[in-house]
Amino acid sequence: MFALRTTTSRFIPRIGSIAQMSQLGDLGSGAGKGGGGGGSIREAGGSFGKMEVAHEEEYFYKQRQEQLQKLKAKAIEKHDFHEESIKQHEDAILRHKKAIEELKKEH
């Protein structure tokens, strides 16, 4: 928000932090430009720094895909387990109903 003081003619906006944020460069473009601090290759900047960023992004993308596949497989495994449990319980219910019917016939 902007604030204007007419008596001292001073602005009290916080534009400085916004201007600094917009000055950031691309990842891997060198130290101090938004992509630095990630190792000597990334700090050097240039095409090697950008290539390093691309390799890191690819690594993490593959890692996320692998985690999602494992999660999906585990969910399918749990589903199959519960389906089998339901089938076993239904079979047990039928057996017990038959046993109860047999007991009723005897009396």
Side-chain angles (χ1 to χ4, degrees), residues 37-104:
S40 60
I41 293 175
R42 287 182 68 178
E43 287 176 4
S47 59
F48 282 114
K50 291 178 183 177
M51 185 175 61
E52 181 67 22
V53 170
H55 286 292
E56 288 176 12
E57 292 297 320
E58 180 182 11
Y59 169 79
F60 288 115
Y61 175 80
K62 286 180 180 179
Q63 195 174 38
R64 282 191 302 271
Q65 293 302 314
E66 184 179 321
Q67 288 172 344
L68 286 173
Q69 287 176 351
K70 287 179 181 179
L71 184 64
K72 183 179 178 181
K74 191 164 190 149
I76 291 171
E77 182 181 316
K78 284 183 178 182
H79 176 267
D80 292 344
F81 169 78
H82 289 298
E83 287 287 334
E84 184 63 30
S85 295
I86 289 169
K87 185 176 180 279
Q88 289 174 357
H89 284 97
E90 287 173 343
D91 291 344
I93 290 170
L94 287 175
R95 280 194 316 273
H96 290 295
K97 282 184 179 180
K98 287 180 184 177
I100 290 171
E101 289 298 322
E102 291 293 323
L103 289 173
K104 285 182 181 179

Side-chain angles (χ1 to χ4, degrees), residues 6-23:
T6 56
T7 58
T8 59
S9 67
R10 278 194 317 185
F11 282 99
I12 310 176
R14 299 196 181 209
I15 298 176
S17 60
I18 296 170
Q20 288 175 350
M21 287 189 287
S22 66
Q23 297 286 329

